Each structure stands twice: as C-alpha cells, then as structure tokens.
Amino acid sequence: MRPLVNLFPEQISAASVLRNGSILVGGVGSGKTRTSLAYFYEAVCGGSLATNVLPTKPVHLYVITTARKRDSLDWVKEAAIFGITTEPMSDTHPWMTVDSWNNLQRYVKVPDQEVFFIFDEQRAIGRGAWSKTFVKIARKHGWIMLSATPGDRWSDYIPVFVANGFYKNRTAFEKRHVVYDRFAKFPKISRYLEEPILDRLRDRVLVVMK
C-alpha cells in the first residue's frame, strides 16, 4: 500500500532535520504526529514519500502518548495514511503499538532489534518513575519526542540530556551545572552554571516547527 500523504513545507523541513534523540516542538494543530510519522517512515524504515519507495525494514513502532489520545485512536488514524497498521503486514513493512505513559514500564524489556519509540508529550520531567523509565528505554532504542512545551527550566531537560548521552546521569549534570540554595529547608536550585553549554545542547536536541 503506497501512502498518499500531504505535508506542508514546514513539516517536510522539520522531518528532514530530525534525528535520533530529537524533540519536535510545535503548537497544537501544527502536525507533529504526521511529521514524526514521516520521519519514521523515511529515516527509520527506509521508505520515501517523494518517490513512492516503500519501507524496507519491518520496524516495530511504539508510540507512548496520553491515555486520551490512545483511546481516541488519533495515532492509529494518522499512521493508516502511511499504510502503518497495528498488526504486522509483511516481512518488510513497519507496524505500531500505541499505549499511554501510565503503562511505560511495560516496554523496558522489548526486544532490541528493529524497534523505535515516539514519545508524545513531554512527561519525562523530574525524578519520578516516568523519567527514569524513559531514560532506560531511550538508552536502548531509537526515539524522538513530541512536545509543545519541552521545558521551562534546565532541570526539565536533564532526562533528555542523559538519554542523549550528554551526561552519564542526573548526578553528573547537577555536579557540573547546579548550585543549590544552602539556606533552603528543601533542595532548591539557586542558579545554573555554564548556561551557554546548556544552550548549545538544547539547540542540538530541539527541532522547532513554525
């Protein structure tokens, strides 16, 4: 099945510069879902939308999204435009599983071969279970993330920076860049060090779709 996919120039441009470990940034209605699927179809699976070349790799795509978007089948409908279904079609065609962030732990031990993850919405912030599980998965498999608001503070980017291999772990990041308020009754960041380095790392990660 050859896809009939319409992409706007901004979406084509964004898909062309995405790479493993990127965060695709765009507002509501900008088409992050379709753009990320175009990247997956071409860069990960070896297909071509422009020349009607079908994928050559049977990659299993895991989409981790909100429970609402999972249940509304938004991703399933968009993927169908690319000929991607929720069941394997052939030995050369990709297929997908869509689940919510609440079930992220289920996918820590998926097989290593021919697997790719799209994390829809930034839920890997902080020190919680989702953040730790995200890093475990992202270190083993190819992935990108979609978000309208990827982070308000540098600490929000720690899991993504660690998953990209910029830092060994959260502790390594904090030793280099974080100064805590010594007089606060609970851990409170007073300021960040070497922010130009953090700016460059953020710029390496973010792909902003206007």
Side-chain angles (χ1 to χ4, degrees):
M1 178 179 174
R2 298 187 183 279
L4 298 174
V5 182
N6 294 317
L7 297 175
F8 290 106
E10 295 84 357
Q11 296 169 331
I12 295 172
S13 176
S16 69
V17 296
L18 282 170
R19 63 170 183 82
N20 184 51
S22 291
I23 300 178
L24 178 61
V25 182
V28 176
S30 60
K32 296 188 295 295
T33 298
R34 187 169 297 192
T35 302
S36 65
L37 286 169
Y39 167 78
F40 170 73
Y41 188 91
E42 296 190 318
V44 179
C45 301
S48 173
L49 298 172
T51 59
N52 289 325
V53 174
L54 292 175
T56 58
K57 299 177 182 179
V59 182
H60 188 172
L61 171 63
Y62 290 89
V63 175
I64 306 300
T65 186
T66 62
R68 181 187 63 80
K69 292 178 73 172
R70 177 200 60 190
D71 296 342
S72 68
L73 303 181
D74 287 355
W75 275 93
V76 174
K77 295 171 186 175
E78 283 289 316
I81 300 173
F82 294 81
I84 301 172
T85 67
T86 56
E87 297 292 339
M89 291 173 52
S90 70
D91 293 336
T92 60
H93 205 79
W95 57 294
M96 71 185 300
T97 294
V98 182
D99 208 343
S100 74
W101 281 91
N102 293 326
N103 297 323
L104 185 62
Q105 185 65 36
R106 295 178 180 177
Y107 305 101
V108 172
K109 296 183 179 181
V110 298
D112 292 342
Q113 290 79 20
E114 305 294 358
V115 169
F116 190 81
F117 279 81
I118 295 178
F119 297 97
D120 185 19
E121 305 294 345
Q122 168 60 300
R123 295 290 187 270
I125 291 176
R127 302 172 181 268
W130 286 352
S131 175
K132 295 175 182 178
T133 305
F134 160 75
V135 170
K136 289 180 182 179
I137 293 173
R139 281 177 162 173
K140 293 172 57 181
H141 305 292
W143 63 277
I144 59 174
M145 182 179 287
L146 318 183
S147 180
T149 54
D152 297 322
R153 302 166 297 180
W154 288 122
S155 57
D156 294 339
Y157 285 92
I158 293 176
V160 170
F161 285 172
V162 171
N164 270 284
F166 300 156
Y167 300 91
K168 182 178 179 181
N169 48 39
R170 176 179 288 273
T171 300
F173 177 94
E174 292 180 343
K175 283 184 177 179
R176 182 168 181 179
H177 296 290
V178 174
V179 176
Y180 282 99
D181 186 343
R182 292 181 299 167
F183 303 103
K185 295 181 179 180
F186 55 91
K188 178 183 177 182
I189 295 176
S190 173
R191 60 192 174 94
Y192 293 94
L193 305 175
E194 299 183 284
E195 290 195 78
I197 292 176
L198 298 177
D199 283 327
R200 290 195 293 271
L201 294 179
R202 180 184 58 191
D203 291 344
R204 285 177 58 183
V205 168
L206 297 186
V207 174
V208 179
M209 188 162 55
K210 298 181 179 180

